[in-house]
Amino acid sequence: MKILCLVFVFSNFTQLIYCQSAESFVTSGFNKFANKNYQGAIIDFSKAIEQNPKNSIAYYNRGLSKDNLGDFQNAIPDYTTAIELNPDDSMVYFVRGFCKYKLGDYYGAIIDYNKLIEKDSKNAKGYLFLGDCKLHLNDFSGAINDYNKSIELNPLIYDTYNNRGICKSKLGDNRGAISDFNKAIDLDPNQTNSYLNRGRNKANLKDYRGALDDYNKLIDINPKNGEAFYNRGVVKIIMQEKNSGCLDLSKAGELGFENAYELIKKYCN
């Protein structure tokens, strides 16, 4: 094992030799990572790699540090080296797959999540993210199958129900989608996405009063959500509440939802 030794020479010519091993750099990197000093952690993990180029833990954690800084592109080679050094660590496939997902490489992410599941068939989040990749690739039925498996393994993950509901909605199953959004809201009542999604599906079923209730709740939680005002405005206009609906459309435009102005021109002048 290589040891990094620093020699300090003082004015009286005494010397202090300080030696640091790869393991101590890793420990220092862990501490900096825990304190969210990711740049400092990268420096320490890099020094550990200089001392021991076979240290898979150092590569993995340097990748995590880059990952937390949003540097997904440069995290991937570190994860790849960690896999080459220790191919049995299933979590490295998970985090590398996540980086590929964030970069829009859904096919590459699917390969990693399948590898993760091959090594850890009980990983509910692996199935969740596998489904998310298929959702982005418009493979809604395939995504639903993965979400089903995720729910079997862990029925308490908000995103699994919300995202399965999105897939059902895309396939025209409004009632099935609403059921999933109901469950998602039960798990996390403060997440606004499910209110927005459920409101859309209720409107598709002409349950306009129910849709309004969802948009009202969403706006209570986040009064800066332009899409909620837009959707509520559309529903109000359908319900012959033109003045109130047009005010909602105006608010949506004010909040940056520019599509609102086309409807204002059509219905509010």
Side-chain angles (χ1 to χ4, degrees):
M1 179 188 303
K2 293 181 180 179
I3 305 291
L4 178 65
C5 296
L6 302 176
V7 180
F8 299 95
V9 181
F10 298 98
S11 58
N12 61 356
F13 300 105
T14 61
Q15 292 183 343
L16 171 65
I17 299 179
Y18 174 71
C19 298
Q20 193 165 359
S21 67
E23 285 73 16
S24 63
F25 279 122
V26 168
T27 300
S28 177
F30 285 156
N31 291 332
K32 290 177 181 175
F33 184 95
N35 288 309
K36 298 185 179 180
N37 178 8
Y38 302 121
Q39 291 287 7
I42 289 169
I43 292 170
D44 281 342
F45 293 130
S46 296
K47 289 178 180 176
I49 290 165
E50 288 176 13
Q51 298 304 305
N52 180 9
K54 301 295 185 182
N55 192 321
S56 64
I57 294 173
Y59 282 104
Y60 173 72
N61 285 282
R62 188 172 70 175
L64 281 180
S65 300
K66 294 174 181 178
D67 197 333
N68 275 273
L69 290 170
D71 187 7
F72 306 117
Q73 191 72 55
N74 286 311
I76 289 173
D78 280 340
Y79 293 143
T80 299
T81 303
I83 288 169
E84 291 169 354
L85 293 170
N86 183 11
D88 294 325
D89 186 351
S90 62
M91 282 307 298
V92 190
Y93 294 100
F94 183 92
V95 291
R96 189 176 69 174
F98 178 76
C99 285
K100 292 177 180 178
Y101 173 87
K102 294 297 285 186
L103 292 168
D105 179 12
Y106 303 119
Y107 290 107
I110 285 172
I111 292 171
D112 277 342
Y113 290 129
N114 279 329
K115 192 69 176 177
L116 162 69
I117 291 165
E118 176 187 317
K119 294 180 176 296
D120 181 7
S121 61
K122 302 296 185 183
N123 194 308
K125 287 196 173 181
Y127 283 103
L128 166 60
F129 281 102
L130 184 60
D132 287 348
C133 292
K134 293 177 183 177
L135 168 58
H136 280 281
L137 292 170
N138 296 327
D139 178 10
F140 305 122
S141 295
I144 287 172
N145 288 334
D146 290 325
Y147 295 139
N148 291 344
K149 185 63 177 178
S150 180
I151 289 168
E152 287 175 17
L153 294 167
N154 184 349
L156 299 176
I157 302 175
Y158 163 86
D159 286 328
T160 316
Y161 292 98
N162 183 69
N163 296 355
R164 189 175 70 174
I166 291 171
C167 290
K168 290 179 179 178
S169 180
K170 293 286 188 180
L171 292 169
D173 181 10
N174 291 297
R175 289 179 175 82
I178 289 169
S179 177
D180 276 343
F181 297 136
N182 288 342
K183 182 62 177 178
I185 289 167
D186 287 343
L187 289 170
D188 191 345
N190 292 315
Q191 284 277 5
T192 58
N193 286 338
S194 291
Y195 292 105
L196 186 67
N197 293 328
R198 191 172 68 177
R200 289 196 196 102
N201 284 271
K202 288 179 179 178
N204 289 342
L205 293 171
K206 296 183 169 52
D207 177 12
Y208 299 122
R209 183 57 56 190
L212 280 183
D213 289 342
D214 280 336
Y215 298 139
N216 289 339
K217 180 64 176 177
L218 192 164
I219 290 167
D220 285 343
I221 297 170
N222 179 10
K224 294 187 180 298
N225 190 308
E227 189 171 3
F229 280 100
Y230 176 87
N231 288 1
R232 191 173 72 173
V234 170
V235 168
K236 286 179 178 179
I237 289 171
I238 291 171
M239 296 175 68
Q240 305 301 313
E241 298 177 15
K242 180 178 177 180
N243 289 338
S244 181
C246 288
L247 287 174
D248 275 347
L249 291 177
S250 178
K251 184 65 175 179
E254 178 186 319
L255 291 169
F257 202 81
E258 295 184 2
N259 291 347
Y261 292 113
E262 291 302 315
L263 290 189
I264 289 171
K265 291 176 185 176
K266 186 172 183 179
Y267 294 110
C268 301
N269 293 319

